Amino acid sequence: MSNTQSQQLMVEWHSINWRKLERSVYKLQKRIYQASARGDVKAYRRLQKTLMKSWSARALSVRRVQDNQGKKTAGVDGIKSLTPKQRLELTSNLNLGSKVSPNRRVWIPKPGTEEKRPLGIPTMKDRALQALVRLALEPEWEARFEPNSYGFRAGRSCHDAVEAIFSAIRLKPKFVLDADIAKCFDRIDQEALLRKLNTFPTIRRQVRAWLKAGVMDGKQLFPTSEGTPQGGVISPLLANIALHGMEERIKQYAETLPTRSGHGKRDNRRNLSLIRYADDFVILHENLTVVQRCKEIISEWLKRHGFGIKAQ
């Protein structure tokens, strides 16, 4: 879209037809999803660039960070909200390659414990830019994500994970490994994540800049050589990308198990389940030895990706 067209669209913020913008962005996202599902890399990368340049996607990204629950928490810029005029200005200036500011460290209480969880709050501009990149990357990865991954995904909830567990155990009792990933957000191997992301250079550089931005705690700047900041708009998506492949690794092991008469490898894959919600997961199988071996396999997989495991 040219600057002239942008100017024409820059009417009063409150009179923007948001439904029209959402439809326009959704159509592009749907095409990115379809191209990713059929493995057409050239097509979905071209569509991602088109989406991020569109005025509709940029305006929706600015609106999203103004309307979300954490909008009252300022980053290092001290800005909690923008006037309608400032929102329009930010929409026009929202481009990749912008200079990244460090995140502001905020400590919040962890429910049920005396521990506090560190959040990294980006500036308003970085939040909007992260929302824009997420709009482009999410449909590409939704076409690839594993069927039993439920946390931080559009149209999926905790109830879906519970239902998946119920479906896995309702016909036959099974042994359960209940575990979570120790300090998941803090331990992500940044270089391994960027390799896995495998996106075009502009997004790669931008994501790398966010990961390396550092954290301001009070007046002190701390470097961030690992992990992705909790509090960033794009962080949940990056965490899901980093953990992508866990379920498939378990299913590969299932194929090596001896098959019962009249059953094949497909049945073995079906009988061994890994169900994940964010950084919590369960492994279910009727044989305790298989579950114990799965714990070793998944621990090795997580260690290779920079994570640790906490079994319940």
Side-chain angles (χ1 to χ4, degrees):
M1 183 179 289
S2 70
N3 285 338
T4 317
Q5 287 172 305
S6 293
Q7 293 297 325
Q8 288 169 351
L9 275 168
M10 277 173 55
V11 289
E12 285 294 320
W13 181 262
H14 295 299
S15 64
I16 291 172
N17 184 343
W18 294 108
R19 292 291 296 277
K20 187 179 175 183
L21 267 57
E22 283 164 0
R23 278 196 301 271
S24 165
V25 169
Y26 176 74
K27 279 180 188 173
L28 272 172
Q29 286 186 308
K30 191 176 176 182
R31 288 173 65 194
I32 291 167
Y33 178 92
Q34 289 165 339
S36 179
R38 65 175 185 267
D40 192 342
V41 179
K42 193 181 278 187
Y44 70 68
R45 286 189 178 173
R46 189 187 69 246
L47 290 163
Q48 284 171 329
K49 288 172 187 175
T50 303
L51 184 143
M52 289 189 297
K53 284 176 186 170
S54 78
W55 196 86
S56 300
R58 286 184 288 150
L60 282 171
S61 300
V62 171
R63 184 193 189 210
R64 189 157 294 170
V65 298
Q66 281 289 286
D67 295 346
N68 73 354
Q69 286 181 335
K71 65 178 180 180
K72 294 281 186 259
T73 313
V76 294
D77 56 355
I79 298 170
K80 290 184 182 180
S81 64
L82 301 172
T83 64
K85 188 185 173 189
Q86 287 171 326
R87 293 177 198 188
L88 287 169
E89 283 170 7
L90 179 54
T91 300
S92 300
N93 299 325
L94 205 60
N95 297 306
L96 265 69
S98 308
K99 193 169 181 285
V100 171
S101 303
N103 296 298
R104 177 173 160 247
R105 172 70 79 229
V106 174
W107 296 90
I108 60 163
K110 227 176 180 180
T113 66
E114 289 183 19
E115 265 186 271
K116 289 199 170 184
R117 179 185 286 131
L119 291 188
I121 308 297
T123 61
M124 190 65 75
K125 184 172 183 179
D126 281 329
R127 271 185 258 183
L129 206 48
Q130 286 184 18
L132 181 64
V133 171
R134 184 173 173 168
L135 284 177
L137 285 179
E138 204 160 41
E140 173 200 339
W141 281 92
E142 277 297 326
R144 280 190 248 166
F145 279 146
E146 294 164 319
N148 284 309
S149 147
Y150 293 96
F152 308 130
R153 288 182 63 187
R156 287 173 172 238
S157 69
C158 190
H159 297 291
D160 298 313
V162 171
E163 192 178 335
I165 293 168
F166 174 74
S167 298
I169 61 173
R170 69 193 172 96
L171 298 176
K172 190 175 283 187
K174 292 184 178 179
F175 289 97
V176 182
L177 169 70
D178 178 14
D180 72 4
I181 298 153
K183 297 189 181 295
C184 175
F185 280 87
D186 302 330
R187 296 276 173 82
I188 290 171
D189 182 326
Q190 294 178 350
E191 294 308 317
L193 171 62
L194 290 166
R195 281 195 300 274
K196 204 170 188 179
L197 194 58
N198 191 26
T199 187
F200 53 90
T202 323
I203 289 188
R204 182 190 163 85
R205 278 195 299 268
Q206 189 69 63
V207 171
R208 187 186 173 86
W210 285 323
L211 293 174
K212 303 286 184 191
V215 173
M216 288 290 289
D217 197 343
K219 291 184 178 178
Q220 199 171 352
L221 178 65
F222 295 93
T224 45
S225 55
E226 61 176 5
T228 176
Q230 288 189 66
V233 178
I234 203 169
S235 297
L237 175 63
L238 295 179
N240 268 339
I241 293 169
L243 295 171
H244 176 66
M246 279 176 70
E247 188 179 349
E248 183 52 34
R249 178 65 191 94
I250 288 299
K251 298 292 185 183
Q252 284 168 2
Y253 165 63
E255 290 180 357
T256 68
L257 296 172
T259 55
R260 290 176 293 181
S261 59
H263 294 79
K265 288 182 179 179
R266 187 176 291 179
D267 290 290
N268 277 359
R269 282 178 71 99
R270 200 180 297 124
N271 291 333
L272 179 55
S273 307
L274 184 147
I275 297 157
R276 180 173 69 83
Y277 186 89
D279 57 356
D280 292 289
F281 66 93
V282 294
I283 293 174
L284 305 154
H285 195 265
E286 61 204 57
N287 186 322
L288 179 59
T289 312
V290 170
V291 173
Q292 288 169 334
R293 178 65 188 131
C294 283
K295 183 184 175 184
E296 292 168 17
I297 289 168
I298 220 70
S299 293
E300 286 165 22
W301 190 93
L302 289 166
K303 198 177 284 182
R304 213 165 55 243
H305 290 76
F307 300 105
I309 183 175
K310 283 196 295 187
Q312 304 295 320

